[in-house]
Amino acid sequence: MQDHYEMRRRDRELTRDEALAILSRAEVATVSVVTADGPYGFPVSPVVVDGTLYFHSATKGRKVAALASDPRVWIGAFTDVVAATDKFTTYFESAMAWGELRLVSDADECRRALKALCLKFTPSNMADFDNALARSLPVTAVYALRLDHVSGKAKRRH
């Protein structure tokens, strides 16, 4: 997989740190893969921990089969999307990451990733985290992508 792609709109290109911040803030990201049946994309709730993007899934289904067949992924996320009221455009911040996804097999890493996801999305429910983890871990897969390859782009209001 190519390490870097030249951005056409260089005036909108963001730094690596800005792209990482967008991936960290994003509530939804789209994971794209290519399968024997063609392209396939699906939304995930991402969290970034120590330079790695994590998301969770069930342990069975189309997504799991697609990721098992080819671990190469492209992940895209948008934040701060606002339609302009005075022109035909949209303001946004976006980030992409690509590389080889891995299924997390280490129990401690799974726990840390799931705890980070819960802290990001459901912080008021953390008192029940250990009970929920015990119930759901056997049927939960956790995937990880090291954020070695990222880029970002934004069109901001001036």
Side-chain angles (χ1 to χ4, degrees):
M1 195 174 285
Q2 189 170 333
D3 181 48
H4 184 74
Y5 295 84
E6 204 62 37
M7 189 170 299
R8 186 182 63 83
R9 292 294 307 260
R10 303 285 303 207
D11 59 316
R12 296 184 183 170
E13 187 170 20
L14 300 177
T15 66
R16 174 180 172 76
D17 287 342
E18 289 172 307
L20 290 171
I22 291 165
L23 289 169
S24 293
R25 283 195 321 272
E27 294 183 6
V28 176
T30 301
V31 178
S32 301
V33 298
V34 176
T35 70
D37 297 327
Y40 177 56
F42 49 89
V44 297
S45 301
V47 67
V48 175
V49 179
D50 297 330
T52 298
L53 184 144
Y54 292 96
F55 64 88
H56 75 292
S57 168
T59 56
K60 296 178 182 166
R62 183 177 181 190
K63 179 189 330 178
V64 174
L67 295 172
S69 71
D70 189 340
R72 295 175 298 168
V73 297
W74 194 281
I75 298 176
F78 285 86
T79 60
D80 303 323
V81 179
V82 178
T85 57
D86 59 340
K87 16 179 150 169
F88 296 105
T89 193
T90 304
Y91 303 106
F92 64 91
E93 293 182 334
S94 66
M96 298 178 290
W98 58 96
E100 288 203 14
L101 196 68
R102 69 179 169 83
L103 177 61
V104 177
S105 58
D106 178 77
D108 289 336
E109 185 180 6
C110 279
R111 179 182 169 74
R112 282 192 309 273
L114 291 169
K115 188 169 188 175
L117 278 163
C118 291
L119 283 167
K120 178 178 179 179
F121 292 101
T122 58
S124 62
N125 295 334
M126 293 309 291
D128 194 43
F129 175 76
D130 291 328
N131 291 331
L133 184 69
R135 284 190 311 272
S136 63
L137 193 56
V139 293
T140 302
V142 175
Y143 292 92
L145 176 66
R146 276 183 37 123
L147 295 173
D148 294 329
H149 310 290
V150 297
S151 69
K153 180 177 175 179
K155 182 176 183 183
R156 296 178 173 131
R157 285 186 263 203
H158 300 292

